[in-house]
Amino acid sequence: MMIAHMRKADYKIQTVQEHLTSVSTLAKTYGKKAGFASMASLAGFLHDMGKNTKAFSDYIENAVKETGQPLERIDHSTAGAKFLYETYYVTEPKIHSELITNLVVEIVGMSILSHHSGLQNFLQIDGSQSDFFRRVCREDLPYFEEACAGFTGIPGNKEKVDTLYNESFEEMKEFSNSLKRLQKNSWTTGGGNAQRVSPLIFNSLAMKYIFSCLIDADRTDSRRFDEGDTSSLHTLNQAFFNKSYKNVMAQLEEWENDPKATKPINRLRAEMSKRCGDLGKESSSIYQLSIPTGGGKTFASLRYALQHAQAKSKDRIIYVVPYTTILEQNADAVRRIIQNKEMVLEHHANVLDDTASEGEPDYYRQAIQKKLQLARDNWDHPIIFTTMVQFLDAFYAKGTRKARRLHNLANAIIIFDEVQTVPVKHIPLFNSAVNFLHHFGNSSIVLCTATQPTLAKTKYPIIMGEDVEMVRNLPDVVSAFERVSIENKVETEGWTAEKISDFAINEIEVKQSLLIILNTKKAVLNVYQQLKSKTDIPIYHLSTSMCPQHRKDILKIVNKKLNSPQEKVICISTQLVEAGVDISFECVIRSLAGLDSIAQAAGRCNRHAESDKGIVYIIRAKDEALTRLPEIALGQKVMEEDILSRKELTKNLLSPAAIQTYFDFYLKKAEREIQMTNSELNIELIELLERPSKYLAAVPSESPKTFMGSMFKTLESRFEVIEAPTTAVLVPYGEGKNLINLLNEEIDCYEKLNDYLKQTQQYCVNVYRHTLQSLASDGLIVSLYNDSIYALKDGGYHDEYGLEMEGEGTLGKLIF
């Protein structure tokens, strides 16, 4: 009886056979959603085959019982892949069926041998032997013969492998046929985009999906054994979706009975909501939801999602947003509407070091690392709010932890809020992920924004059908929602902080409320300080130097003043206030940026049609350094050169025609002016999912070559959604002070730790590495919970503007 795991609490054993069987069953369930039930099951059944040795059993027992015997770490993740390779692989495939066979072996084998390290490379930068052949062709793999004998010696194992392989062959064949159909259809409906439907990219994403199924099944089974958890894993969410939909409709009826419901703007919101509800009964699709800012897209998209989840038996609803401010507000709004707090998961900033607990949460690992591993969620929840960073990381981040969540994006409804904020250089990766999830993962996609980017026209396009806009008669709807006039006051030399503050004071003399939005935190702080010295009118500051709870508290105060007719108020903010923040000012001053940002700023002005028209001034702030914000700089350039210079567009800058023109120019110029390729590799990261010719050519002619050519290890080591990565720091604001004290103590209870970690998300500020180092050098940083959490000492956080940092401190497009 060979040991896979031994429980520390009572030395109970889980045999290798028990573990392989359980993981195979779980992985099959996960894989089924995307048509890879048998491939995922095969990976699960072979992944720990290498543990079928006396040496590994001795190793586990000595480690858990702390016998003091030397611990020899044993490679147990290669054996299953090597067994699969030696049993089925065709060295020189000549016919199509042999190619399909090799694809099964390469995809499943790579998933197996990578399940502790993250996916490896089929090609290498230097032309050396691929990670796949290096591992599966290893002749000196310790204990391999013993592991094979132990595995095949168990009655039924070899027959089960044969059955799973044969079923996997059929799955791979059907997947290949589906790819051919997609190529044909995209050429017909997508304006000649079939050449960008790369089978190699989809093969690579299929492998990442199967890898996700294996990782989650393995980690889940290990956790359940260790905790003695025998509860049901497969909860159906249909009853919850049904009840939530009834609550949504009850809320809608209440709104319709309100006297304000007769206002034209509220009638329009109701009509668009009904349209979304009707579409929820239709087949899965990739939709665009271009509701104008303030049009109620959160409610409309939720109505669609709940209706669709019931009609098509979807597992979950996932909102993907660019900013934590949107995430927090929209999650709270959804909780109120559906009248349920527990079933809505927020996942964004994490104060734990993501790399600290990579790999298997096994008993021989330090206990503290295991606790941290278990404190992470795999997104098995009915409604999830997460960020674009976390979404892209599930596909492309290094290691195993984030990949674990990927399979739960299948058979889901995924709503991308403010989709125009996808970083330009990652549009190919984003589009490919969306294509995979819809066309193969059975997920319904909603691209939601008031300023819809032309993603179907890019180099690697999203493959949509026709008539995908959820809003009927979009130009008429946009015109009906017109609530502001936009005045261009851009000057070549730019406005100083003093000029901005003087202009603001003149405006507030004749208006009740004013919002100023600038592109950098330094510019915001300069104008804030100018205004504080010139007027007694209440002035409030918002930026990502403040933790989420701090921003919420400020917004609550500002909203209270906005609802008091006798009080004037000025708020100055970075662009974090633009999207998803339900707030309405009489006047807005916006420093020049892309048309999408200007439209979002306009959405904070006269939001609920409190007056006939609000006014938005476009200026250019002089002291904004945009070298680290190339997309904002390019947006400024496109606006000046291609939009503001055209009278037919400036008549209505928020029209669909102006927005489409802006994105057409923006995306074309971005390909030339924004660094799309990796500076070290000189190719786009998306090419690493294909079979890069420059690296294929480096393989010696006599060396064997796989059909798969993906270089996930290389891609993941260079993939960052935010070029300058940030680290979350817990700050001593409000309840954050108490959390710092609590996390500085010994915590034995997993539930208590998890609760604390969820609370910390409201009291963290994300800082760049150089800022973290500077704070540490000044003695302002303390490490908590076995050096896994950073916290700021008293004195480093300001009650008015948050974390005090030197330098430009620019705001990135996306927040963790």
Side-chain angles (χ1 to χ4, degrees):
M1 181 176 64
M2 299 303 175
I3 303 172
H5 300 121
M6 178 180 285
R7 191 155 58 209
K8 181 75 173 177
D10 57 5
Y11 299 151
K12 183 177 180 179
I13 289 171
Q14 183 188 42
T15 68
V16 174
Q17 185 68 14
E18 289 170 340
H19 180 57
L20 295 182
T21 301
S22 180
V23 171
S24 179
T25 301
L26 273 176
K28 182 174 185 176
T29 301
Y30 300 155
K32 184 178 180 180
K33 295 177 290 185
F36 299 114
S38 296
M39 292 179 74
S41 185
L42 180 60
F45 197 54
L46 293 176
H47 81 288
D48 272 356
M49 190 184 108
K51 290 184 176 181
N52 272 298
T53 67
K54 184 177 184 302
F56 191 86
S57 292
D58 290 344
Y59 164 63
I60 286 288
E61 190 166 8
N62 288 331
V64 174
K65 294 182 177 179
E66 299 178 351
T67 62
Q69 295 294 320
L71 299 178
E72 174 195 5
R73 296 303 296 264
I74 298 170
D75 176 0
H76 63 272
S77 59
T78 301
K82 183 174 173 64
F83 175 79
L84 190 66
Y85 173 81
E86 292 185 351
T87 305
Y88 301 107
Y89 202 74
V90 181
T91 306
E92 295 182 6
K94 293 182 173 60
I95 58 177
H96 183 66
S97 61
E98 292 176 338
L99 176 60
I100 296 294
T101 287
N102 285 3
L103 275 173
V104 170
V105 175
E106 289 172 13
I107 289 173
V108 175
M110 182 63 91
S111 299
I112 292 170
L113 63 84
S114 302
H115 78 272
H116 285 300
S117 58
L119 286 172
Q120 303 294 290
N121 284 344
F122 284 104
L123 293 173
Q124 303 286 24
I125 291 176
D126 59 3
S128 59
Q129 189 177 34
S130 75
D131 291 323
F132 179 78
F133 284 129
R134 177 176 57 82
R135 298 278 291 277
V136 300
C137 295
R138 182 179 173 184
E139 295 181 358
D140 62 342
L141 181 64
Y143 311 110
F144 176 63
E145 290 76 12
E146 182 187 353
C148 288
F151 177 77
T152 57
I154 297 176
N157 273 5
K158 183 61 172 67
E159 291 77 10
K160 181 174 180 177
V161 171
D162 285 337
T163 299
L164 288 173
Y165 159 74
N166 290 328
E167 293 171 351
S168 296
F169 179 91
E170 295 301 321
E171 286 177 352
M172 195 68 232
K173 186 166 70 173
E174 175 55 31
F175 180 66
S176 298
N177 290 335
S178 297
L179 276 171
K180 292 176 183 177
R181 290 193 293 269
L182 183 61
Q183 281 185 302
K184 182 179 179 180
N185 292 339
S186 66
W187 184 266
T188 303
T189 62
N193 288 329
Q195 70 272 21
R196 291 299 174 186
V197 181
S198 167
L200 290 167
I201 290 176
F202 286 107
N203 285 342
S204 295
L205 294 180
M207 180 175 68
K208 190 64 179 275
Y209 181 88
I210 292 165
F211 179 71
S212 171
C213 297
L214 172 60
I215 294 299
D216 195 23
D218 183 27
R219 306 297 190 262
T220 298
D221 183 64
S222 298
R223 175 191 63 79
R224 285 166 64 83
F225 169 73
D226 191 41
E227 297 178 354
D229 183 359
T230 58
S231 62
S232 174
L233 270 172
H234 309 296
T235 56
L236 297 176
N237 294 322
Q238 297 308 306
F240 164 72
F241 290 142
N242 180 267
K243 184 177 180 180
S244 297
Y245 183 74
K246 289 179 180 177
N247 288 333
V248 165
M249 298 310 292
Q251 177 67 80
L252 182 62
E253 183 178 354
E254 181 181 330
W255 286 341
E256 288 176 344
N257 292 330
D258 191 297
K260 295 179 182 178
T262 58
K263 291 181 67 173
I265 194 169
N266 288 329
R267 287 204 305 271
L268 271 173
R269 287 169 177 162
E271 288 172 12
M272 288 186 289
S273 167
K274 183 179 185 304
R275 164 74 172 159
C276 289
D278 291 341
L279 287 173
K281 302 171 187 175
E282 303 296 325
S283 300
S284 295
S285 183
I286 299 178
Y287 284 117
Q288 292 179 330
L289 178 57
S290 304
I291 289 181
T293 303
K297 63 179 181 289
T298 300
F299 182 84
S301 61
L302 179 64
R303 182 174 177 179
Y304 162 80
L306 289 170
Q307 177 76 280
H308 194 59
Q310 297 176 85
K312 303 301 176 182
S313 299
K314 300 299 183 184
D315 293 335
R316 58 189 50 82
I317 298 166
I318 302 171
Y319 281 86
V320 180
V321 303
Y323 307 115
T324 54
T325 47
I326 303 176
L327 187 152
E328 295 149 5
Q329 177 172 289
N330 288 4
D332 285 344
V334 168
R335 288 188 184 102
R336 288 195 300 272
I337 293 170
I338 67 172
Q339 299 179 31
N340 192 309
K341 294 182 179 180
E342 300 303 318
M343 303 294 269
V344 179
L345 171 72
E346 291 183 35
H347 183 265
H348 45 94
N350 196 332
V351 296
L352 297 178
D353 178 7
D354 287 347
T355 61
S357 57
E358 277 293 355
E360 182 178 28
D362 232 332
Y363 319 117
Y364 44 83
R365 298 183 63 82
Q366 293 182 6
I368 184 66
Q369 291 184 334
K370 186 182 174 190
K371 282 187 197 174
L372 300 185
Q373 181 78 12
L374 296 179
R376 287 162 168 79
D377 198 290
N378 66 352
W379 289 1
D380 187 11
H381 227 70
I383 298 180
I384 299 165
F385 280 81
T386 191
T387 62
M388 181 63 72
V389 172
Q390 298 291 347
F391 171 78
L392 289 171
D393 277 355
F395 278 90
Y396 307 116
K398 63 183 177 181
T400 61
R401 185 178 63 81
K402 294 182 179 181
R404 178 180 179 182
R405 305 167 185 150
L406 193 157
H407 73 88
N408 275 328
L409 291 163
N411 196 43
I413 300 156
I414 308 175
I415 299 163
F416 293 97
D417 199 1
E418 309 302 348
V419 71
Q420 79 283 355
T421 60
V422 177
V424 171
K425 71 173 186 176
H426 291 322
I427 285 177
L429 293 172
F430 171 78
N431 288 356
S432 297
V434 168
N435 284 333
F436 177 81
L437 289 172
H438 172 64
H439 294 288
F440 302 102
N442 195 36
S443 286
S444 296
I445 309 294
V446 180
L447 306 175
C448 194
T449 176
T451 53
Q452 200 71 237
T454 49
L455 295 178
K457 296 181 181 180
T458 57
K459 186 176 178 182
Y460 292 85
I462 286 184
I463 304 165
M464 303 185 196
E466 297 176 345
D467 191 26
V468 297
E469 177 55 60
M470 299 178 84
V471 178
R472 289 175 173 166
N473 306 316
L474 184 58
D476 294 339
V477 170
V478 171
S479 178
F481 265 88
E482 187 176 325
R483 306 183 304 278
V484 302
S485 59
I486 299 178
E487 187 172 332
N488 178 17
K489 286 185 168 291
V490 174
E491 297 174 359
T492 304
E493 64 273 16
W495 289 34
T496 64
E498 184 176 7
K499 183 172 181 177
I500 295 171
S501 61
D502 288 343
F503 183 77
I505 288 172
N506 287 334
E507 285 296 305
I508 200 67
E509 285 181 359
V510 294
K511 296 180 174 66
Q512 287 297 114
S513 60
L514 173 65
L515 172 64
I516 305 170
I517 304 174
L518 306 178
N519 292 316
T520 67
K521 290 188 276 192
K522 182 178 179 181
V524 166
L525 191 55
N526 288 344
V527 174
Y528 174 76
Q529 291 171 340
Q530 284 274 341
L531 285 168
K532 290 283 284 186
S533 67
K534 292 181 178 181
T535 180
D536 293 329
I537 293 172
I539 302 167
Y540 297 93
H541 168 282
L542 289 169
S543 82
T544 52
S545 291
M546 304 156 71
C547 68
Q549 187 60 51
H550 193 171
R551 299 196 299 264
K552 282 183 180 179
D553 292 343
I554 294 296
L555 283 169
K556 186 176 181 180
I557 295 170
V558 170
N559 257 320
K560 186 176 181 181
K561 291 187 177 296
L562 287 170
N563 291 323
S564 176
Q566 307 304 317
E567 293 195 67
K568 291 178 179 284
V569 62
I570 299 174
C571 182
I572 177 163
S573 175
T574 55
Q575 62 261 44
L576 70 85
V577 77
E578 287 180 342
V581 179
D582 188 6
I583 198 165
S584 183
F585 290 82
E586 190 176 350
C587 176
V588 172
I589 301 170
R590 180 53 165 105
S591 185
L592 186 62
L595 185 54
D596 53 332
S597 294
I598 292 169
Q600 291 291 352
R604 306 318 118 188
C605 183
N606 196 30
R607 185 173 179 84
H608 305 295
E610 295 91 345
S611 60
D612 289 340
K613 272 197 177 179
I615 185 165
V616 177
Y617 296 107
I618 306 174
I619 66 166
R620 181 203 286 277
K622 186 175 183 178
D623 60 350
E624 291 178 339
L626 301 180
T627 53
R628 287 166 54 191
L629 295 170
E631 294 186 24
I632 292 179
L634 179 60
Q636 284 189 346
K637 182 178 180 180
V638 172
M639 285 298 295
E640 288 187 301
E641 293 181 354
D642 305 301
I643 305 299
L644 295 179
S645 60
R646 299 177 180 227
K647 289 184 179 179
E648 72 274 14
L649 296 180
T650 54
K651 290 178 182 178
N652 187 357
L653 281 174
L654 303 184
S655 69
I659 290 167
Q660 182 173 343
T661 302
Y662 168 78
F663 276 113
D664 284 346
F665 278 107
Y666 179 82
L667 292 173
K668 286 178 182 176
K669 290 187 176 182
E671 290 183 7
R672 299 193 302 267
E673 300 184 27
I674 290 182
Q675 182 72 30
M676 302 294 286
T677 62
N678 178 269
S679 57
E680 180 185 353
L681 303 177
N682 200 30
I683 63 172
E684 292 187 47
L685 291 181
I686 187 71
E687 296 180 63
L688 297 174
L689 296 182
E690 297 184 273
R691 211 178 181 204
S693 57
K694 65 183 293 186
Y695 299 127
L696 183 62
V699 180
S701 57
E702 68 276 8
S703 297
K705 298 178 179 65
T706 55
F707 180 81
M708 291 289 290
S710 60
M711 302 169 67
F712 262 108
K713 184 177 181 180
T714 300
L715 185 158
E716 292 173 358
S717 67
R718 290 161 176 81
F719 175 77
E720 292 175 334
V721 182
I722 301 175
E723 284 194 3
T726 57
T727 300
V729 175
L730 183 57
V731 298
Y733 173 83
E735 183 61 22
K737 294 180 181 179
N738 185 43
L739 287 168
I740 290 173
N741 292 331
L742 291 170
L743 288 166
N744 201 29
E745 300 174 357
E746 185 68 27
I747 303 171
D748 296 323
C749 176
Y750 158 65
E751 287 79 9
K752 186 181 293 185
L753 170 64
N754 203 36
D755 181 55
Y756 291 162
L757 295 180
K758 286 181 180 179
Q759 292 181 53
T760 61
Q761 294 183 145
Q762 296 300 314
Y763 299 94
C764 285
V765 174
N766 292 302
V767 300
Y768 296 110
R769 287 171 182 164
H770 71 272
T771 302
L772 182 63
Q773 292 168 354
S774 177
L775 291 168
S777 298
D778 292 340
L780 291 172
I781 292 291
V782 61
S783 296
L784 307 176
Y785 202 66
N786 292 59
D787 299 329
S788 298
I789 301 169
Y790 292 118
L792 190 69
K793 292 182 179 179
D794 288 335
Y797 196 83
H798 197 282
D799 287 340
E800 286 186 71
Y801 41 82
L803 184 65
E804 298 192 66
M805 297 182 292
E806 296 180 357
E808 177 55 29
T810 52
L811 173 71
K813 268 280 189 179
L814 300 172
I815 306 299
F816 282 99

